Amino acid sequence: MARYIIRRLLQMVVTFIGTTFVVYALMFANQNDPLQALAGDRPVSDNVRQVLTEQYHLNEPFLVQYGYYMQGLLTGDLGRTLTGRPIGDVMSDAWPNTIKLALLALFFATLFGITAGLVAGLRRGSIFDNTTLALTLVVVGLPIIVLAPIAQLVFGVKLGWFPTTAGARPSLYGLILPALVLGAASTATMMRLTRASVAENVRADYVRTARAKGLSARRVVAVHVLRNSLIPVITLIGVDLGTLMAGAIVTEGVFNIPGVGSKLLLGIQTEDGPLVVGFVSVLVIVFLVTNLLVDLLYAVLDPRIRYE
Amino acid sequence: MQVRRLIAGTVVPLAVTAGLVGCNSGDSAKVDPNGVVSIQIAEPQHMTPSNSNDASGIQVLSALFAPLVNYDDNFKPVPDAATSIESKDHKVWTIKLKDGYTFHNGEKVTSQNYIDAWNYAAYGPNAQNNGFFFSRIAGYGATQQESDPDGPEGPEKPPAPRAKTMSGLKKVDDLTFQVTLSQPFTEFETILGYSAFYPLPKAAFASEGVLKEDFESAPIGNGPFMMNGKWEHDAKVEVAKYDAYPGTKPKVGGVEFRIYLQPSAAYADVLSDNLDVIPQIPTESIPTAPDDLGDRFQRSSASQFQFLAFPTFEQDFANPQVRKAISKAIDRDEIVRSVFKGSQQSARSFVSPVVAGYRENACGDACEYDPKAAKTLYDQAGGPKKIQLSYNADGPHKDWIDATCNQLNANLGVQCTTVPEAKIADLLNKVEEKQNVGIFRLGWIMDYPSMESYLGPLYTTTGSSNYYGYSNTEFDKLVQEGSAAETPEKSIEKYQQAEDILARDLPVIPLRFAQNNYGFSTRVQNVVVDLFSRIDLNQIEVLGN
């Protein structure tokens, strides 16, 4: 087990360096005139252009720019945004918001998804099963760009149950509505997946055996059916966590939560290579670590799986 | 007020200006003088006078600093932090400051503070966005870097500028200084109201000519409000009333500038009274805004000008009659109505309604929608059979460009296609390299409230944003004469003559002016937007309980 983990960690280092390089290269290929992109419609005066171009090494070839970036990275300096703000500061402001939001979204998705999926799976064909099927179809069909403003209008503005926006220093309460919205699609998928998985496992031999042994229905469902049904669901959770962090652009905008998604968007719009690479690097680490955790969880859930 | 005229036919009663709003503020007992008002901004790019040129940064600075001049209802400058700004020959200007002003750290404001701030802003290697505002001052050229000897790619660095300070700035005494311009400029006083001309305290500088790196996280100004804490990036900037301010006292205790990623979120917050003022309601919410907010939804003119530009160097568009026919084939009012839901106003003039000398219909016949006449004229002048409209896809332009193109198709019987460029920079690069982009869109925001701020940079032969190769010596001469005329009134006469030439030559066709479509919560009243599209912090009031 320990050897397996160490091997995975070493692979991560290689993957990490590879991704920064690829992302930096992509950003460089997309780079046209970051200073103009930042200024928008206004012209950039010659001396501003001259000084900033030199300061940010914008006229250097790709490898030199990447070299400067990696040199800074190794000394703990992530560089500065085009408006002169240290990227380290931007990250330490944005990440906590995103992590809170994504974890809360995942929490709701898991809670509602698995519970509803379990019930629906055990009572196939019931009214509950059919209602949730219809509901999940609606949620999956509604893009978040529609869902988020509607939720805000109904529950924030009209009913006043939740704060309309969460802000840059969000309270847990303020994050509930955005997290529900962000997690809506995941909830639906997770529910369908749990239902299918449970429905299949209920008929498995070991469940019949367990029942025959005279175990209580509760124990059969919780330990035998659910535990085995969770393997595909855990895989989904692992993938979703990363997506929820990077892909919250709409939710962040609607509920005004400055996080990773909106910073990535800004970085891409202003062709700010170091900003994008900084955030993507951390995202890559998040993906790698969650995937490792998911793989390890398989072994916990199903004793037949072993790692060497 | 005559300039706040707006287009008829929009959905909302428009006559809402300072005076009218003032009427329902009679209940002075209810006004809370210590209330804090919250105003939406976006994350400012910078927060120093010399470097801020985005609306959000400028809005915050307007709270922290007092300008040398302010503007009256006719957009004429009136001294504010100055007692007088005078010149006999419009070349050497003497600026006398009011006594009693102090910076928020207690430093007395002297003429040296202005000179230091302006020199810092102008000095080329400091790369300040607003440096070019000082280009009229004598000695500005010597503070700029020379061009790089081996081009920007080469290893050699350009030599340092010859001078660190502008020779045109001279201190007379603690409250008086003299500004010598390189050429006479009659409307120099008008420029001074812009945020680039604020003073900086000694405390702002780490050493001579070097600004402290963290100054912009908590700028120290001479204005009615002082920083309350620091600039909290992506969250807010808070300011509180500065008690020692000798000028007009604001009627609120403080302002929280709250930073939003998107205006739609701010709009939702205004609806639920979580935010007091949104300076620009997003277009998609404009149709419902009158119902949502009632008379708390208001509009005023803004300086932003949208137009279509012709590559006049292309054979297809070299004939002014072709350009006129295209202009006459566009139904501006219809596009304002259907695409913009009345959030902008049609333009029939080459300068915006917030400058003195604006005439509502300077463009005349050429901007009048008349599809039949347009078609006849177009065929006579031999306009091209295919027209291409280029725009930048990173702005909200697709819908109206498509609508314009459809109108040209229908009214001129041409084959019009639209071509998106990813970014404005891509578009401008292609235009500069004289690649064929066809007709292209551009926008312009004035730097200072003068006709010259449009005519100079946009249409003179050497204008900084003249991307369309327009050159008319008579026009250049009139603008030149206008800027050196005896009085501001005479300047305007010359500018208007110059504008008449544009109406004939049509290097660009005016389409729309922006409007401030602002809204506010039930907690505040007397919300007024000034000509720089900033919320006027001297007038706004918070209602107490």
Side-chain angles (χ1 to χ4, degrees):
Chain A
M1 189 74 150
R3 269 188 63 191
Y4 175 75
I5 297 178
I6 290 169
R7 202 169 66 221
R8 284 287 295 265
L9 287 175
L10 286 176
Q11 283 171 357
M12 273 188 202
V13 177
V14 181
T15 322
F16 176 76
I17 294 175
T19 346
T20 55
F21 183 80
V22 171
V23 176
Y24 207 100
L26 286 173
M27 283 307 291
F28 182 82
N30 179 42
Q31 199 173 63
N32 187 348
D33 188 350
L35 299 175
Q36 188 63 59
L38 184 69
D41 278 1
R42 282 178 181 273
V44 182
S45 65
D46 286 346
N47 66 359
V48 172
R49 179 177 293 280
Q50 190 184 330
V51 173
L52 291 185
T53 301
E54 232 152 74
Q55 195 177 329
Y56 290 98
H57 311 294
L58 293 175
N59 53 355
E60 307 278 5
F62 167 66
L63 281 176
V64 179
Q65 281 197 31
Y66 183 68
Y68 276 117
Y69 180 73
M70 285 315 273
Q71 190 190 347
L73 200 62
L74 292 176
T75 54
D77 178 12
L78 291 164
R80 279 168 183 269
T81 66
L82 287 174
T83 54
R85 213 180 148 211
I87 291 175
D89 288 3
V90 179
M91 300 247 269
S92 61
D93 278 356
W95 273 105
N97 285 344
T98 293
I99 290 173
K100 276 186 223 161
L101 181 64
L103 286 182
L104 200 59
L106 204 60
F107 169 74
F108 285 133
T110 319
L111 183 70
F112 298 136
I114 293 182
T115 319
L118 182 64
V119 175
L122 292 174
R123 300 183 197 161
R124 269 160 299 140
S126 67
I127 299 177
F128 181 84
D129 188 20
N130 287 323
T131 329
T132 45
L133 172 67
L135 272 178
T136 46
L137 282 178
V138 171
V139 170
V140 171
L142 267 185
I144 202 159
I145 199 152
V146 178
L147 192 63
I150 291 181
Q152 183 184 48
L153 184 70
V154 175
F155 299 108
V157 178
K158 298 287 180 207
L159 296 173
W161 293 355
F162 297 101
T164 18
T165 59
R169 313 264 184 279
S171 64
L172 193 61
Y173 182 47
L175 281 177
I176 290 179
L177 188 59
L180 284 171
V181 167
L182 180 63
S186 300
T187 314
T189 347
M190 224 174 268
M191 198 231 132
R192 302 311 306 166
L193 198 62
T194 315
R195 181 196 173 276
S197 192
V198 166
E200 192 188 306
N201 285 336
V202 163
R203 275 173 288 177
D205 290 346
Y206 61 84
V207 174
R208 201 158 12 131
T209 315
R211 284 223 179 87
K213 275 198 299 186
L215 292 181
S216 68
R218 177 182 292 262
R219 193 171 161 79
V220 171
V221 169
V223 179
H224 295 264
V225 178
L226 186 59
R227 183 165 157 182
N228 277 292
S229 308
L230 280 183
I231 290 182
V233 181
I234 293 284
T235 317
L236 182 69
I237 293 180
V239 178
D240 267 5
L241 183 66
T243 321
L244 289 176
M245 286 186 175
I249 299 175
V250 175
T251 317
E252 287 178 11
V254 170
F255 295 99
N256 197 37
I257 309 165
V260 173
S262 51
K263 286 295 164 202
L264 270 177
L265 182 68
L266 176 79
I268 291 166
Q269 279 168 346
T270 55
E271 304 172 6
D272 198 333
L275 184 64
V276 174
V277 178
F279 276 101
V280 173
S281 311
V282 181
L283 272 174
V284 169
I285 294 176
V286 171
F287 267 104
L288 293 173
V289 171
T290 42
N291 269 314
L292 177 59
L293 286 178
V294 165
D295 285 350
L296 296 178
L297 270 177
Y298 288 161
V300 176
L301 289 172
D302 187 343
R304 285 170 298 186
I305 301 173
R306 292 256 188 285
Y307 295 115
E308 289 307 326
Chain B
M1 288 295 130
Q2 87 276 16
V3 231
R4 300 218 168 164
R5 230 179 277 127
L6 294 169
I7 304 305
T10 36
V11 214
V12 189
L14 290 168
V16 222
T17 51
L20 243 177
V21 184
C23 295
N24 33 19
S25 68
D27 268 345
S28 56
K30 282 169 69 189
V31 169
D32 177 5
N34 294 316
V36 173
V37 58
S38 53
I39 296 176
Q40 180 237 338
I41 55 171
E43 165 82 356
Q45 289 188 359
H46 292 287
M47 245 169 56
T48 49
S50 51
N51 216 2
S52 288
N53 61 0
D54 59 310
S56 303
I58 290 172
Q59 172 76 65
V60 177
L61 290 177
S62 77
L64 299 172
F65 290 87
L68 281 171
V69 302
N70 225 322
Y71 303 93
D72 65 12
D73 287 344
N74 298 320
F75 311 111
K76 296 265 168 63
V78 275
D80 192 338
T83 49
S84 70
I85 297 167
E86 281 164 352
S87 170
K88 287 196 186 79
D89 54 0
H90 301 312
K91 196 168 175 192
V92 182
W93 291 80
T94 307
I95 301 176
K96 287 203 169 80
L97 303 174
K98 273 184 193 152
D99 201 1
Y101 277 76
T102 51
F103 286 103
H104 304 144
N105 61 352
E107 261 182 58
K108 191 171 156 22
V109 180
T110 68
S111 49
Q112 192 62 43
N113 296 120
Y114 283 90
I115 294 173
D116 289 348
W118 295 8
N119 277 327
Y120 173 79
Y123 186 59
N126 290 339
Q128 298 296 295
N129 284 322
N130 294 333
F132 68 94
F133 275 93
F134 301 89
S135 56
R136 291 175 187 279
I137 297 174
Y140 172 82
T143 62
Q144 304 303 300
Q145 326 67 322
E146 321 253 323
S147 55
D148 208 328
D150 51 0
E153 305 290 332
E156 266 185 72
K157 297 220 162 156
R162 281 168 284 138
K164 287 208 118 180
T165 56
M166 293 180 284
S167 57
L169 294 178
K170 209 175 84 195
K171 180 176 172 175
V172 177
D173 60 45
D174 262 3
L175 292 174
T176 318
F177 65 110
Q178 217 174 46
V179 184
T180 310
L181 306 181
S182 45
Q183 280 183 1
F185 184 46
T186 313
E187 292 182 297
F188 182 62
E189 197 182 348
T190 305
I191 301 190
L192 296 177
Y194 189 66
S195 47
F197 294 90
Y198 294 143
L200 288 177
K202 286 257 178 293
F205 293 95
S207 61
E208 203 177 308
V210 182
L211 201 65
K212 276 188 190 154
E213 203 175 322
D214 60 348
F215 179 71
E216 71 173 353
S217 66
I220 303 166
N222 63 338
F225 296 94
M226 57 193 284
M227 287 294 287
N228 183 8
K230 284 192 169 184
W231 171 9
E232 293 178 41
H233 288 275
D234 296 314
K236 63 183 175 184
V237 184
E238 277 185 283
V239 300
K241 190 150 66 180
Y242 175 54
D243 291 323
Y245 181 66
T248 321
K249 295 250 193 290
K251 296 164 188 162
V252 290
V255 184
E256 180 199 344
F257 296 101
R258 209 179 297 160
I259 298 171
Y260 281 84
L261 298 165
Q262 284 176 6
S264 55
Y267 185 67
D269 265 351
V270 169
L271 291 185
S272 43
D273 268 358
N274 287 329
L275 171 77
D276 291 329
V277 186
I278 174 169
Q280 192 65 268
I281 295 173
T283 309
E284 69 265 21
S285 300
I286 298 256
T288 57
D291 280 342
D292 291 342
L293 294 170
D295 58 5
R296 291 181 286 120
F297 166 49
Q298 296 182 7
R299 302 168 172 202
S300 70
S301 293
S303 80
Q304 202 181 351
F305 173 44
Q306 289 281 349
F307 55 91
L308 283 180
F310 294 100
T312 55
F313 43 83
E314 297 272 350
Q315 191 59 43
D316 281 349
F317 302 108
N319 182 355
Q321 294 306 313
V322 173
R323 312 202 282 252
K324 185 175 174 185
I326 292 173
S327 172
K328 285 176 79 68
I330 298 173
D331 188 351
R332 295 166 174 74
D333 292 344
E334 173 55 31
I335 291 178
V336 163
R337 231 183 346 260
S338 58
V339 179
F340 292 96
K341 318 289 179 206
S343 64
Q344 305 204 349
Q345 56 182 115
S346 303
R348 292 184 178 81
S349 161
F350 297 85
V351 303
S352 86
V354 296
V355 299
Y358 164 75
R359 293 168 297 168
E360 204 175 357
N361 198 4
C363 181
D365 177 49
C367 292
E368 207 171 289
Y369 176 57
D370 186 346
K372 275 197 191 125
K375 175 95 175 87
T376 323
L377 185 63
Y378 195 75
D379 292 343
Q380 275 173 6
K385 286 277 158 280
K386 285 182 184 170
I387 293 182
Q388 181 182 331
L389 287 187
S390 293
Y391 64 101
N392 51 313
D394 59 345
H397 304 301
K398 185 180 187 308
D399 292 347
W400 70 262
I401 287 281
D402 285 348
T404 311
C405 214
N406 287 338
Q407 290 184 350
L408 294 182
N409 278 337
N411 296 336
L412 295 179
V414 294
Q415 208 184 330
C416 175
T417 49
T418 62
V419 181
E421 294 287 341
K423 300 197 165 98
I424 186 81
D426 302 337
L427 180 60
L428 294 181
N429 283 341
K430 285 196 175 174
V431 175
E432 273 180 344
E433 287 162 15
K434 298 216 187 324
Q435 290 185 33
N436 192 5
V437 296
I439 307 174
F440 53 99
R441 75 145 286 271
L442 282 177
W444 182 251
I445 307 173
M446 67 173 189
D447 293 325
Y448 41 90
S450 159
M451 291 181 78
E452 203 273 339
S453 186
Y454 293 85
L455 303 181
L458 287 179
Y459 315 113
T460 54
T461 308
T462 54
S464 59
S465 293
N466 180 349
Y467 289 101
Y468 12 92
Y470 176 63
S471 174
N472 181 325
T473 43
E474 197 191 342
F475 176 85
D476 291 353
K477 192 166 144 265
L478 280 168
V479 174
Q480 177 60 38
E481 283 172 9
S483 57
E486 260 168 68
T487 62
E489 287 72 26
K490 291 203 172 139
S491 297
I492 288 175
E493 268 173 42
K494 291 282 182 195
Y495 293 150
Q496 291 184 337
Q497 286 172 27
E499 199 186 2
D500 292 339
I501 295 181
L502 293 179
R504 226 168 44 226
D505 287 356
L506 292 171
V508 309
I509 46 182
L511 293 180
R512 293 179 312 279
F513 296 122
Q515 280 179 149
N516 307 306
N517 305 290
Y518 55 105
F520 47 92
S521 72
T522 54
R523 286 184 65 239
V524 293
Q525 63 182 12
N526 256 3
V527 184
V528 177
V529 176
D530 72 7
L531 71 167
F532 290 115
S533 297
R534 303 175 304 198
I535 304 295
D536 189 334
L537 302 172
N538 278 331
Q539 301 200 39
I540 195 165
E541 290 173 329
V542 176
L543 298 169
N545 295 314

